[in-house]
Amino acid sequence: MGRHSSMPDGYGSAGADPRPRSRGRTVAIATALVLVVAAGTALAVRSDLLGLGDSCGDSVSLGVMASPDIAPALRDAAERAHRQKVTSDGNCLDVTVTSSDSYKVAQSLRDGGGKPDFQVWVPDSGLWLKRVGANSGATSVTAAGNIASSPVGVGMVPTAAKSFGWPDKTYSWTQLTGAAMKGDALRLGAADPARSATGLLALTKLAAAAQKSGDGDGTQAAAMAKVLSQRTSDSDGQLMDTVARDSSGTEAGNPRRNEALILSEQAAYTHNAEAGDEGALDLFYPKDGSPALDYPFSLVDEGALTTDQSRAALRFMTLLSAPQGRTLLEKHGFRTEGTGSPEAVAAQAGGRSPQPYAEPSSEPATEEQIEQTLGMWTITVQSARITTVVDASGSMANLVPNRGQSRMEVTKASMLRALATFTPEDEIGLWEFSTLLDGNRDYKQLVPTERLGDAKGTGTQRDRLSAAFTGLQPVPDGATGLYDTTLAAYKAATSSYKDGKFNALVVVTDGVNEDAGSISRSGLISRLEELSDPERPVPLIAIAVGPDTDKQEIEQIAAATGGSGHQVSDPADIQQVILNAIIKAGAKSN
């Protein structure tokens, strides 16, 4: 399966708490309005507080972009507001709701190009807000509060669910996924974690559960990801089209149809309402906790909104938070803050006691867990072809503060950890560079870029690379020959490009270019731009380590290839930076 657009440099966790959180002026307004609405049912229905009446002044138009799952509920709310002539500061609300997959909207806002034609965005998870916020040039998005939530579980066709002892028997995430890893025991589908918050939250939960059970090196999590990747759909909507709808007939036995899906409770609710008894799913709620989608109501480019638009947006949010709005959301399969018991929603979604549908959602994943999981997924799903180029100049012998080890020693350890995350199908190679290294050249190829699982003598390419990384040593009196090395390595990487793989060049340096006889920086950038081909992308991931580097320099050089430059103070961070950079580069190349 190909690599899809992926997550950005950082993420927030998707909490289950749908309560509004104060954020500045606009959220203070929102909070005040919510308090007015929540003050009591008798007050809430008064037309003078809700702005209901036979007539109103001008209309204030508000564009709302929403995740496809919640868009129908928001349209119903908008139509109700129109019928009831709900006003904001005396102006009728004229709310238009459109929908698009959250990952597509996030990427558009993250790119920051052009003025959006909507003022409010309701994605299915706060993860997407973090994706947008990770780019300094992105369109600003301000979360005003969460309007709904939906836990993530595993839905199965009745024949499969019965074989698993539903509803009486409960399972952990790893147990449910483990069943799918046993041959044809269960055909389990999921949405691409790079494009689906549901898929990413579930995979992160799986990885965390595997680690807790002793999966220290991540091999079990990678194996689960590999199995899931075989039956992964590009989006949540496409995933729902893959499930067998005839549980007792030919569809259930069709190997192309999934018997189980990782999906949200709301998705199961909607599916069951449309499919009827014959095609309904039974829903497992893993006993180690379900992550949850949290539907943040967000203002887009808040500074550019008029006062009327800001107030209208928050007015619409308070309607959704009022009793009628919560009831409407619940009728569409969402949980809300006012839900006394989720039993009605869970029952329609296929949940039955003693499945733990009423248990609180699991603790939100940390940003680090999300990043690591997506990095693991990105590497696992599509084979990579990456040449690594490591600085071996004399300054790499300098000690890292508070570690008692040299930059080279810490760098080697971090690179070896990164190597462990790649699969036998990935192709990895190694160069080193320094002046006085190889005659007139500043660089030397130590291990050619080849498949890690290929046999090499008595071992494999992975064994050969591990030995080469371990053997790296600083060159006494060697200086940083950065420019000539980068150009030579990039030429080699582009000339050996492999279709169907994620091709990249990783350069790690602890200093600026010190070879006076090398190509100039401007000359290097020009040559890299000439060699770079959008149809055959090879992003340069440049990592500057320590205080003697120039972040602006490496960012400029990397940008010439569509890659990214990063600066770290501690070489131990190299592994995580590489994973995050692969994610970022993968987003640009799809």
Side-chain angles (χ1 to χ4, degrees):
M1 157 171 188
R3 188 182 308 272
H4 301 298
S5 61
S6 40
M7 291 286 193
D9 303 327
Y11 306 92
S13 50
D17 183 4
R19 293 174 293 178
R21 299 176 177 84
S22 298
R23 292 201 182 193
R25 175 183 61 83
T26 56
V27 180
I29 296 172
T31 303
L33 290 172
V34 170
L35 290 174
V36 170
V37 173
T41 303
L43 292 177
V45 298
R46 287 178 51 187
S47 62
D48 57 332
L49 285 180
L50 284 180
L52 308 179
D54 296 329
S55 63
C56 51
D58 295 333
S59 295
V60 53
S61 297
L62 186 70
V64 177
M65 178 63 72
S67 175
D69 51 351
I70 203 169
L74 300 187
R75 289 193 187 100
D76 285 354
E79 290 171 4
R80 176 179 289 175
H82 179 74
R83 290 195 308 270
Q84 296 181 344
K85 293 185 171 65
V86 175
T87 63
S88 172
D89 292 340
N91 298 318
C92 279
L93 287 180
D94 180 14
V95 180
T96 301
V97 179
T98 54
S99 67
S100 181
D101 289 327
S102 297
Y103 79 89
K104 294 179 180 177
V105 181
Q107 190 60 50
S108 175
L109 294 174
R110 190 173 187 271
D111 291 342
K115 182 177 176 59
D117 58 0
F118 51 92
Q119 293 76 49
V120 171
W121 180 33
V122 185
D124 57 8
S125 173
L127 294 177
W128 304 111
L129 303 188
K130 289 294 184 179
R131 164 182 276 196
V132 175
N135 188 354
S136 59
T139 301
S140 67
V141 181
T142 307
N146 299 70
I147 60 173
S149 67
S150 188
V152 176
V154 177
M156 293 189 193
V157 299
T159 49
K162 183 178 179 180
S163 70
F164 274 73
W166 179 91
D168 297 322
K169 191 171 181 180
T170 58
Y171 294 85
S172 67
W173 278 100
T174 52
Q175 288 171 333
L176 283 169
T177 309
M181 298 173 67
K182 296 178 181 177
D184 295 327
L186 184 70
R187 298 191 299 274
L188 175 64
D192 182 358
R195 298 185 174 198
S196 162
T198 302
L200 180 56
L201 290 170
L203 186 60
T204 302
K205 181 68 178 179
L206 277 166
Q211 186 176 35
K212 186 177 293 185
S213 65
D215 183 29
D217 59 2
T219 54
Q220 183 183 355
M224 290 189 296
K226 196 69 174 178
V227 170
L228 285 176
S229 73
Q230 306 306 310
R231 307 191 72 87
T232 298
S233 299
D234 281 350
S235 66
D236 296 291
Q238 291 184 23
L239 174 68
M240 299 308 301
D241 292 334
T242 69
V243 69
R245 289 179 178 264
D246 179 7
S247 62
S248 60
T250 57
E251 278 205 1
N254 186 341
R256 295 185 178 181
R257 288 287 184 177
N258 287 312
E259 301 167 290
L261 304 176
I262 293 176
L263 77 176
S264 71
E265 180 183 71
Q266 193 279 333
Y269 181 101
T270 300
H271 171 88
N272 288 352
E274 295 174 350
D277 292 339
E278 181 63 24
L281 298 174
D282 295 327
L283 194 58
F284 283 88
Y285 296 78
K287 61 186 179 182
D288 48 345
S290 297
L293 303 177
D294 60 358
Y295 302 93
F297 189 98
S298 312
L299 302 181
V300 179
D301 198 7
E302 182 186 4
L305 301 183
T306 66
T307 299
D308 284 346
Q309 287 174 325
S310 293
R311 292 180 176 177
L314 297 173
R315 183 75 177 86
F316 187 53
M317 187 181 79
T318 61
L319 293 177
L320 297 169
S321 302
Q324 280 190 341
R326 294 198 301 268
T327 298
L328 187 153
L329 286 164
E330 290 159 19
K331 285 182 178 179
H332 281 267
F334 296 96
R335 299 190 185 191
T336 69
E337 181 184 7
T339 305
S341 169
E343 183 174 356
V345 171
Q348 176 65 43
R352 296 286 188 279
S353 181
Q355 290 296 313
Y357 61 81
E359 295 297 319
S361 298
S362 60
E363 284 295 316
T366 65
E367 291 186 26
E368 183 179 6
Q369 287 174 319
I370 293 287
E371 291 171 358
Q372 289 177 343
T373 300
L374 192 54
M376 177 266 292
W377 172 262
T378 305
I379 292 171
T380 300
V381 169
Q382 184 184 36
S383 295
R385 178 177 172 81
I386 299 175
T387 300
T388 55
V389 183
V390 178
D391 192 341
S393 60
S395 56
M396 288 292 284
N398 294 343
L399 293 180
V400 176
N402 303 317
R403 281 192 174 272
Q405 293 178 296
S406 70
R407 292 176 185 170
M408 180 62 86
E409 291 302 316
V410 179
T411 296
K412 290 192 297 185
S414 189
M415 296 295 284
L416 285 168
R417 286 196 299 272
L419 177 63
T421 65
F422 291 92
T423 72
E425 300 300 320
D426 296 315
E427 299 179 19
I428 311 292
L430 175 63
W431 291 27
E432 65 175 343
F433 71 99
S434 171
T435 58
L436 309 177
L437 184 64
D438 187 21
N440 293 328
R441 294 194 302 181
D442 296 338
Y443 50 86
K444 179 189 295 184
Q445 182 189 74
L446 298 179
V447 181
T449 305
E450 296 176 357
R451 185 176 171 276
L452 289 177
D454 286 350
K456 294 290 178 181
T458 58
T460 63
Q461 170 78 351
R462 186 188 298 275
D463 297 329
R464 188 178 175 190
L465 268 172
S466 296
F469 275 121
T470 303
L472 286 172
Q473 294 295 331
V475 177
D477 299 323
T480 305
L482 179 62
Y483 293 168
D484 282 352
T485 299
T486 300
L487 179 57
Y490 196 71
K491 283 181 179 178
T494 53
S495 65
S496 60
Y497 180 90
K498 291 285 185 69
D499 289 324
K501 290 183 177 289
F502 174 73
N503 294 254
L505 174 67
V506 175
V507 176
V508 179
T509 182
D510 77 335
V512 297
N513 183 68
E514 297 173 321
D515 185 351
S518 73
I519 189 173
S520 65
R521 184 196 301 186
S522 60
L524 171 63
I525 291 173
S526 295
R527 289 291 291 124
L528 292 176
E529 289 175 340
E530 293 171 3
L531 291 166
S532 180
D533 180 357
E535 299 300 318
R536 295 163 58 90
V538 183
L540 166 62
I541 299 170
I543 304 174
V545 180
D548 302 325
T549 55
D550 184 338
K551 183 181 179 183
Q552 183 179 16
E553 175 183 66
I554 64 164
E555 287 177 341
Q556 289 177 349
I557 293 171
T561 70
S564 56
H566 309 264
Q567 187 175 45
V568 297
S569 58
D570 190 336
D573 296 331
I574 290 173
Q575 176 200 11
Q576 192 60 47
V577 169
I578 290 175
L579 295 181
N580 292 341
I582 288 174
I583 295 168
K584 184 176 180 180
K588 289 185 177 181
S589 62
N590 287 275

